[in-house]
Amino acid sequence: MRWSKLFIPTLRDAPADAEAASHKLLVRGGFIRQLHAGHYSLLPLGLRVHDKVENIVRRGMEQIGAQEFLLPAMHPASIWQRSGRWESVGPEMFRLHDRKEADLALGMTHEEVFSHIATEITSYRSLPQIWYQIQWKFRDEPRPKSGLLRVREFAMKDSYSFDLDDAGLDHAFEVHREAYTRIFERLSLDAIAVQASSGMMGGTGSVEFMVPSPAGEDDIARCNNCGYAANVERATSTLAPVDDGDGSSELTRFPTPGVRTIAALETVEGGAPAHRQIKTMVMVLDGAITLALVRGDHQLNLQKLADGTGAADIRAAEPSETVEHLGAHPGSLGAVGVTDLPIVADHALRGRRNLATGANTDDWHYSGVDIDRDIAVGEWLDLREVSAGEPCVNCGQPLEVVRCIETGHIFKLGRRYAEAMGATVLDADGVARTITMGSYGIGIGRAMAAVAEVHHDDRGLIWPAAVAPYAAVITVASMRDDAAVTAAERIYGELRGLGVEVLLDDRDARAGVKFADSELIGVPWRITAGRAVADGEVELTTRSTGDTERVAIDDAAAAVAALADAARS
RNA sequence: CGGGACGUGGCGCAGCCAGGUAGCGCACCUGCUUUGGGAGCAGGGGGUCGCCGGUUCAAAUCCGGCCGUCCCGACCA
């Protein structure tokens, strides 16, 4: 393709509201443009990259014998009502009416539709199956952000496995885990497979594929020694034992004027160090006030609270609500003597004695609290978020906490959807059995943005050859240099003959502009036809290293084709 | 949804406080010069100042309402 004919609107300045590197560079490089919040147009360059990512994912699926479908993006309400999610998913689903006033939804995922089709699997002999599609998903995200990283409509590869029994599901899940590992390698993404919470999908297990990046929105805990890795929504760690002193002590109520924080309670007379305090978080779980207790120096993880209690809607109570239900403002709250509200507590508080906590009267606290004696804990749960440096549960080495982009997520769904849709088969004994399912997603645009996030420098993008919009660009330093133009045209023709995707920068612009643009759009190899042409040579520059070597005009096309081939295998 | 910021040619911004009929850089068009790291000179085109209403002789500017976008928190590929 000739650059002079292509629509590549590069920008010297990034839009003021772009924050993430991928966002800035994809806009500056002329890959994407925003239509409105969370909705982006893919320009010709952007679509080329998107297509390449898509095809890498597609090949990964074909490798495990998955069959490609294409399902409707718009669904009747009825299938979502059947699975119960019409009610349970809430405002994240785009809903609309047709002219007959029938309820419709834009698909945010396709468990319902696929399991509906799966009702036509009638014999165990047809199992297992793996079905997939690459289809647009619509999600009314509360907060779209960071360019392609978090949007409201996006292409997702979603696959679904159908098996007779748990062993089959385990196998399909494992096969996907391996396929995902290969796909992300192919994309040059160092994705870490971590244990994850299953969230709204439900099911018995899930693994997320996380790419370390400051632009991400999730934290994972990982151990560099033994390989343990989990989303902080799931991660645990070993804790050093705490010495609560000898014997039991008396519950004592004492005045603490102005003390509102854990830190303040550490230093007052009668107080205690943070790890010997109880932090009382007053939460509203599906509308019901609940006390969630963690150690004073620990952080409550909301997803763990949701997973542990089964609550769908969680928020912190307003100060007015804490006054109404407990009689005090945040800063003086506690669970001692509370019997009319549910209380859940983190394992780290089990059996603990001699603790300090709020007394449910402003400016008063308790000391000498014995959890078992003084607090009516209804349920012990894992509620605390791990912190960097805490010992790994497996090997004891310190954990690190890393910010990541979630590029893939695989779930063991079990029989929930198949049961709702009535997807059963007859087994060898002629008994009807409900199919068990897994579901497996990769966000195409998000993966593309993640690659951009990881592979760039201060000059622009550095696409890995596997996803680059073009493998090479031939830069003609000056269009008035007839010899250079001739050499460039010749190499251009040869490369196209060799099947290499190549751009010919034939714009009547200054060399500096062309160099800068080629680096901004991140094409892996550049051939410069300029002053070296007088010696029968051109320059070959590798984008990732900046290294330049001279190559004979005669050999240039073959040299680039060899590099592109090497990168392909 | 809670908190914060912003909305002025395609992009980046000034003008607003102290109302007087819109400006700068980049980009774009024409000409001349220049030609290996985002050229120079000269000329030129392009803006309902987010929208609606109000105050005023006069509103980008003051007041009210609405909409939109971005950032920080609760959700997901």
Side-chain angles (χ1 to χ4, degrees):
Chain A
M1 198 60 195
R2 290 171 189 274
W3 196 312
S4 61
K5 304 276 183 268
L6 257 181
F7 183 63
I8 310 179
T10 59
L11 260 26
R12 197 181 293 217
D13 297 310
D17 48 25
E19 198 83 357
S22 64
H23 186 189
K24 289 182 188 167
L25 292 172
L26 289 173
V27 172
R28 281 190 57 209
F31 292 80
I32 61 171
R33 286 293 185 269
Q34 183 181 53
L35 183 60
H36 64 139
H39 300 264
Y40 282 84
S41 304
L42 290 174
L43 277 33
L45 235 40
L47 180 59
R48 289 182 74 93
V49 177
H50 195 270
D51 280 347
K52 299 218 167 165
V53 172
E54 194 174 306
N55 281 322
I56 286 171
V57 174
R58 182 174 281 115
R59 255 176 279 136
M61 285 296 107
E62 299 293 335
Q63 265 183 30
I64 60 172
Q67 306 162 65
E68 185 164 8
F69 287 56
L70 184 59
L71 307 186
M74 199 184 287
H75 307 168
S78 57
I79 58 165
W80 288 84
Q81 285 160 346
R82 245 175 118 168
S83 69
R85 289 160 109 192
W86 183 259
E87 300 297 326
S88 67
V89 291
E92 199 178 334
M93 183 152 62
F94 282 105
R95 298 161 202 252
L96 62 156
H97 300 287
D98 66 12
R99 63 170 73 204
K100 294 181 294 189
E101 287 301 308
D103 284 319
L104 299 168
L106 294 179
M108 45 191 289
T109 175
H110 283 74
E111 280 75 15
E112 281 80 358
V113 184
F114 265 115
S115 53
H116 172 254
I117 295 173
T119 59
E120 296 197 41
I121 305 174
T122 50
S123 163
Y124 76 98
R125 275 182 265 155
S126 305
L127 296 178
Q129 294 275 328
I130 298 176
W131 296 351
Y132 81 101
Q133 65 167 345
I134 296 171
Q135 168 65 293
W136 292 88
K137 310 293 183 191
F138 297 85
R139 295 184 186 177
D140 194 352
E141 289 288 338
R143 188 152 96 80
K145 57 176 286 200
S146 304
L148 254 30
L149 280 174
R150 184 176 203 75
V151 293
R152 302 206 303 175
E153 63 169 291
F154 58 97
M156 178 164 99
K157 185 289 296 177
D158 48 323
S159 50
Y160 302 83
S161 61
F162 302 89
D163 284 277
L164 187 64
D165 53 27
D166 291 350
L169 173 56
D170 290 347
H171 181 254
F173 188 83
E174 211 41 51
V175 158
H176 270 90
R177 180 208 298 270
E178 289 160 16
Y180 274 39
T181 300
R182 283 191 296 270
I183 287 167
F184 291 123
E185 265 175 33
R186 202 69 198 96
L187 293 172
S188 300
L189 290 174
D190 290 323
I192 304 163
V194 307
Q195 297 171 29
S197 162
S198 298
M200 73 153 193
M201 306 291 290
T204 56
S206 81
V207 167
E208 289 168 333
F209 290 80
M210 303 296 242
V211 176
S213 162
E217 303 181 82
D218 286 87
D219 288 317
I220 65 160
R222 83 159 152 180
C223 172
N224 288 315
N225 185 48
C226 72
Y228 171 79
N231 192 305
V232 293
E233 295 170 350
R234 273 289 302 277
T236 58
S237 62
T238 305
L239 290 177
V242 177
D243 182 7
D244 285 331
D246 293 329
S248 194
S249 56
E250 214 168 312
L251 186 64
T252 309
R253 197 162 177 275
F254 64 106
T256 49
V259 172
R260 290 285 181 280
T261 62
I262 300 282
L265 188 59
E266 286 194 288
T267 56
V268 297
E269 180 74 28
H275 66 280
R276 302 206 37 241
Q277 297 182 32
I278 303 169
K279 186 189 284 183
T280 307
M281 306 290 289
V282 182
M283 307 300 294
V284 183
L285 305 185
D286 293 335
I289 299 277
T290 301
L291 304 189
L293 312 184
V294 295
R295 213 169 84 177
D297 58 333
H298 288 163
Q299 199 72 30
L300 173 69
N301 183 287
L302 294 181
Q303 188 64 45
K304 285 187 171 183
L305 181 61
D307 291 346
T309 59
D313 181 39
I314 291 193
R315 64 173 175 86
E318 302 291 331
S320 62
E321 292 172 304
T322 69
V323 172
E324 181 189 341
H325 290 91
L326 293 169
H329 290 91
S332 303
L333 300 171
V336 172
V338 175
T339 53
D340 55 341
L341 297 174
I343 299 174
V344 296
D346 181 68
H347 295 306
L349 291 171
R350 257 202 156 117
R352 300 281 308 282
R353 295 172 289 106
N354 271 328
L355 305 175
T357 192
N360 288 337
T361 303
D362 286 347
D363 298 325
W364 286 81
H365 282 79
Y366 280 117
S367 64
V369 178
D370 181 319
I371 285 258
D372 292 334
R373 182 190 67 196
D374 303 322
I375 296 179
V377 174
E379 207 172 354
W380 295 94
L381 299 169
D382 175 20
L383 297 176
R384 60 172 259 263
E385 185 162 308
V386 305
S387 297
E390 290 172 357
C392 172
V393 281
N394 291 340
C395 71
Q397 290 302 112
L399 294 172
E400 65 171 347
V401 172
V402 188
R403 180 53 53 127
C404 288
I405 300 166
E406 180 191 352
T407 52
H409 200 161
I410 60 180
F411 299 87
K412 290 184 186 176
L413 294 176
R415 297 187 165 76
R416 172 180 166 188
Y417 294 95
E419 196 164 339
M421 298 298 152
T424 62
V425 295
L426 293 182
D427 68 11
D429 302 319
V431 177
R433 292 174 58 178
T434 300
I435 293 172
T436 185
M437 292 173 58
S439 97
Y440 315 88
I442 293 178
I444 305 296
R446 182 181 282 183
M448 168 177 164
V451 174
E453 207 58 60
V454 174
H455 299 284
H456 70 268
D457 62 16
D458 54 357
R459 293 184 172 189
L461 294 156
I462 307 176
W463 294 112
V467 299
Y470 290 91
V473 54
I474 301 168
T475 301
V476 184
S478 168
M479 290 305 288
R480 297 176 188 196
D481 179 346
D482 291 338
V485 171
T486 304
E489 289 283 357
R490 180 184 149 195
I491 296 167
Y492 177 59
E494 288 172 357
L495 278 171
R496 298 215 304 166
L498 290 165
V500 176
E501 294 175 304
V502 57
L503 254 183
L504 175 63
D505 193 348
D506 59 341
R507 293 175 297 168
D508 186 19
R510 299 171 69 86
V513 172
K514 296 186 178 190
F515 292 150
D517 273 345
S518 77
E519 285 153 1
L520 175 60
I521 70 168
V523 172
W525 294 287
R526 180 177 76 216
I527 288 172
T528 306
R531 48 191 168 215
V533 169
D535 305 326
E537 295 178 328
V538 290
E539 288 136 280
L540 174 55
T541 303
T542 301
R543 174 67 180 92
S544 57
T545 61
D547 293 344
T548 297
E549 57 177 322
R550 281 186 166 225
V551 183
I553 293 169
D554 293 342
D555 304 333
V560 170
L563 288 167
D565 270 352
R568 197 170 299 144
S569 54

